[in-house]
Amino acid sequence: MKTFHIQWHITNSCNLRCRHCYHDTYHASDDLKFSQIQILFDGLVEFLKKNKYHLTVDITGGEPFLHSDFWKIIQVLENCNNVFQCGIITNGTMLTEKILNQLACFSKIKVIKISCEGSEKQWFESIRPFPYEKFLKILELVSMFKCEKLLMFTLLETNSDQISGLFNLVSRFNLDGFVMERFFPMGAGKKLNNFFVTNETWQSTIKQLLVSCGMPDDLTLVVEYRGFKVLKKKHRWELYGAPCIVGKNGCAIMHNGNVFPCRRFALNIGNASIEPFEKIWKKNPFRPMKRKNLKGVCGVCKIKQCYGCRALAYCIYNDYFAQDPLCFLNF
């Protein structure tokens, strides 16, 4: 089964103002109305059917539960045969027993991901303006949710020492694991350039994950991956790498219908509420990716399935063909 992956930011609205946020506005004024969302989704389904894809989609925001039509959107996904799996990415602050029970009624919701940039109170509250004690109560509530439960951790230059605590939180609250991705200086986060991960921190952190999961600390094993998922499996931990979707089998859809190659790749390639998704996908400049267009070590790399992080190159150098600044082979 071919799978297409979408991270769908259904709203710009959020009840928090986290320091590292990729948004620079938090208004719902240009969120799509449900009628527009239905048009967008119909076009997406046509694309899926034509290309024989099944969809895995993560619904997020902003804070997705703030969208007035959140449950109608979830019902549309539930009713669609081309949707294989749905996840929710949330800051967790609006989760209640009632909401979790409602989510459990949808068979296609398989995972809930809760943002967490610090495993200790001081670090958590320095990034995310929400009481740490209340966050722990939310994790306790979520622990009873039957589907997969993950923490979402953004690695900053300053919070790499929080990784070991993530393992502890997962075990303590009977979660399934955590996802780790790197900080990009975008939106509000542009003010925090000192949070951008150095090559040394990125390498040492991934080595820590490898060793914690019983693997050798050999970075060449994971050089093609941009993010990582750690899962708890009875008496051991397992590490999974997330390959790049850009130009291959996925994208991000923003609150206003704009389509990005991925969420951290803020290059608008079309608006799915006013033009067919098939047309947008065809004009994606990274489909297919070509090695000859890449600069630096990325242009001569021998790893066929890896083209470096085009999103990070664009964010840091304003050049999406530039050398990946955090490649493990670039030292």
Side-chain angles (χ1 to χ4, degrees):
M1 177 178 64
K2 294 196 303 180
T3 303
F4 198 80
H5 307 268
I6 289 180
Q7 190 176 96
W8 191 356
H9 296 254
I10 60 174
T11 182
N12 223 24
S13 182
C14 190
N15 58 335
L16 297 183
R17 298 292 182 269
C18 301
R19 293 180 65 197
H20 69 305
C21 185
Y22 298 149
H23 292 273
D24 47 19
T25 63
Y26 303 90
H27 307 296
S29 56
D30 57 348
D31 286 358
L32 297 180
K33 296 179 175 62
F34 184 72
S35 59
Q36 295 172 299
I37 289 173
Q38 188 67 68
I39 292 171
L40 182 156
F41 189 71
D42 289 345
L44 177 59
V45 170
E46 287 184 17
F47 165 79
L48 296 171
K49 289 180 178 178
K50 182 176 179 178
N51 294 277
K52 298 181 180 179
Y53 278 121
H54 280 82
L55 179 67
T56 63
V57 56
D58 278 323
I59 298 297
T60 185
E63 173 49 47
F65 290 105
L66 287 174
H67 196 292
S68 58
D69 292 313
F70 173 84
W71 296 107
K72 291 171 70 175
I73 295 170
I74 296 301
Q75 189 64 60
V76 167
L77 296 171
E78 178 77 9
N79 293 342
C80 180
N81 292 333
N82 293 91
V83 175
F84 172 66
Q85 177 176 307
C86 180
I88 309 293
I89 303 176
T90 171
N91 61 34
T93 60
M94 299 183 69
L95 291 176
T96 63
E97 185 175 357
K98 179 181 178 181
I99 285 178
L100 287 170
N101 286 338
Q102 285 179 275
L103 291 174
C105 295
F106 294 90
S107 63
K108 290 182 180 176
I109 294 181
K110 302 295 186 183
V111 58
I112 186 165
K113 304 173 184 178
I114 303 176
S115 301
C116 173
E117 272 63 57
S119 54
E120 299 172 350
K121 174 181 171 65
Q122 179 181 356
W123 252 111
F124 180 91
E125 294 182 353
S126 70
I127 299 296
R128 194 170 293 276
F130 188 75
Y132 183 68
E133 291 77 12
K134 288 187 178 180
F135 177 73
L136 295 183
K137 289 186 180 298
I138 289 168
L139 294 187
E140 186 174 354
L141 182 66
V142 171
S143 69
M144 295 178 283
F145 190 59
K146 292 184 179 180
C147 295
E148 189 174 56
K149 306 167 285 290
L150 302 172
L151 296 176
M152 289 284 288
F153 181 80
T154 300
L155 179 68
L156 316 170
E157 177 61 22
T158 49
N159 71 348
S160 60
D161 63 347
Q162 299 294 292
I163 295 290
S164 59
L166 291 179
F167 287 91
N168 295 333
L169 283 180
V170 168
S171 297
R172 176 180 173 185
F173 292 100
N174 193 33
L175 307 179
D176 294 285
F178 64 88
V179 173
M180 190 195 74
E181 296 176 332
R182 301 165 295 184
F183 167 71
F184 279 42
M186 300 167 58
K190 283 183 179 179
K191 302 173 184 177
L192 304 172
N193 281 324
N194 61 314
F195 278 24
F196 181 63
V197 181
T198 62
N199 223 312
E200 292 75 19
T201 297
W202 180 229
Q203 292 176 35
S204 63
T205 301
I206 302 308
K207 285 183 178 181
Q208 179 184 354
L209 292 184
L210 287 165
V211 172
S212 298
C213 295
M215 300 173 66
D217 62 349
D218 181 359
L219 295 176
T220 62
L221 297 173
V222 293
V223 70
E224 67 189 275
Y225 301 120
R226 311 288 169 254
F228 295 88
K229 179 165 68 173
V230 175
L231 293 180
K232 185 180 181 184
K233 299 288 187 178
K234 293 185 178 180
H235 302 297
R236 70 182 191 280
W237 299 90
E238 293 185 358
L239 181 66
Y240 299 84
C244 181
I245 65 169
V246 171
K248 299 176 182 177
N249 60 344
C251 63
I253 299 178
M254 304 309 294
H255 64 289
N256 56 4
N258 286 343
V259 178
F260 292 174
C262 80
R263 174 58 188 99
R264 292 168 178 79
F265 201 158
L267 179 72
N268 184 15
I269 59 175
N271 188 293
S273 69
I274 58 177
E275 57 183 316
F277 191 87
E278 177 78 19
K279 180 180 177 181
I280 295 172
W281 187 247
K282 283 184 177 179
K283 67 181 181 182
N284 186 338
F286 307 99
R287 194 191 67 85
M289 191 79 72
K290 295 181 180 178
R291 178 82 57 194
K292 66 180 182 181
N293 295 330
L294 304 183
K295 301 174 182 178
V297 296
C298 290
V300 295
C301 185
K302 301 301 182 183
I303 302 177
K304 292 183 179 180
Q305 66 272 29
C306 181
Y307 295 90
C309 185
R310 298 301 96 217
L312 190 59
Y314 186 60
C315 181
I316 300 301
Y317 304 125
N318 199 32
D319 179 359
Y320 42 69
F321 293 129
Q323 176 175 294
D324 183 344
L326 287 181
C327 176
F328 293 137
L329 302 181
N330 179 26
F331 32 77

